[in-house]
């Protein structure tokens, strides 16, 4: 545990706590809005949280070579987390775009012709 200074530990631990809080808040936002894509974002954040916990664990035990596999796992979880977050962000963007498109389309009444060109 002596490998990092107290301020560095404070940053590491507070970052993990903030990430957990962000996951929870995004999940709650998804429940509030009823948009399942936001809840998907909270799941997509989990690999990055695992990676952060791997880094904290490795530092806690003073960076021993016997735990070098944690560094590999942390790097892998960072890559996986970046990919899942990118995918989740794309799903949110896509759902918002599809929702806007459906709200912009108007339903024509029976017998009404679509307006083409300027209205007089």
């Amino acid at each position: 545990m002596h490998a990092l200074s107290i301020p560095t530990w404070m940053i590491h631990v507070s970052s993990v706590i903030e990430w957990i809080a962000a996951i929870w808040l995004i999940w709650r936002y998804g429940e509030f809005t009823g948009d399942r894509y936001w809840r998907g974002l909270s799941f997509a954040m989990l690999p990055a949280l695992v990676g952060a916990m791997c880094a904290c664990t490795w530092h806690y035990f003073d960076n021993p070579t016997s735990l070098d596999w944690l560094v590999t796992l942390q790097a892998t979880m960072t890559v996986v987390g970046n990919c899942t977050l990118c995918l989740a962000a794309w799903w949110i963007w896509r759902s918002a775009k599809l929702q806007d498109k459906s709200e912009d389309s108007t339903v024509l009444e029976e017998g009404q012709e679509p307006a083409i060109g300027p209205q007089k």
Side-chain angles (χ1 to χ4, degrees):
M1 191 157 147
H2 304 293
L4 301 178
S5 66
I6 297 297
T8 305
W9 269 114
M10 290 170 54
I11 290 170
H12 274 64
V13 172
S14 66
S15 294
V16 170
I17 292 169
E18 289 170 359
W19 200 251
I20 292 168
I23 291 170
W24 180 76
L25 289 170
I26 291 169
W27 180 268
R28 296 290 294 155
Y29 180 77
E31 286 180 337
F32 179 75
T33 61
D35 191 345
R36 63 189 172 130
Y37 296 105
W38 285 97
R39 288 183 287 169
L41 177 63
S42 66
F43 275 115
M45 295 172 75
L46 292 176
L49 178 63
V50 171
M53 290 178 164
C54 287
C56 287
T57 302
W58 189 63
H59 289 313
Y60 180 79
F61 291 106
D62 291 327
N63 311 337
T65 56
S66 63
L67 294 180
D68 279 349
W69 60 271
L70 275 174
V71 176
T72 305
L73 181 60
Q74 183 267 332
T76 303
M77 289 294 99
T78 299
V79 170
V80 170
N82 289 344
C83 292
T84 58
L85 285 167
C86 181
L87 187 59
W90 177 79
W91 277 335
I92 291 169
W93 172 80
R94 184 174 165 255
S95 72
K97 187 175 177 183
L98 291 174
Q99 186 177 23
D100 286 345
K101 188 181 281 189
S102 68
E103 289 174 359
D104 288 344
S105 64
T106 58
V107 178
L108 298 176
E109 294 178 18
E110 276 187 40
Q112 182 181 2
E113 293 293 323
I116 300 175
Q119 297 294 318
K120 293 183 181 177

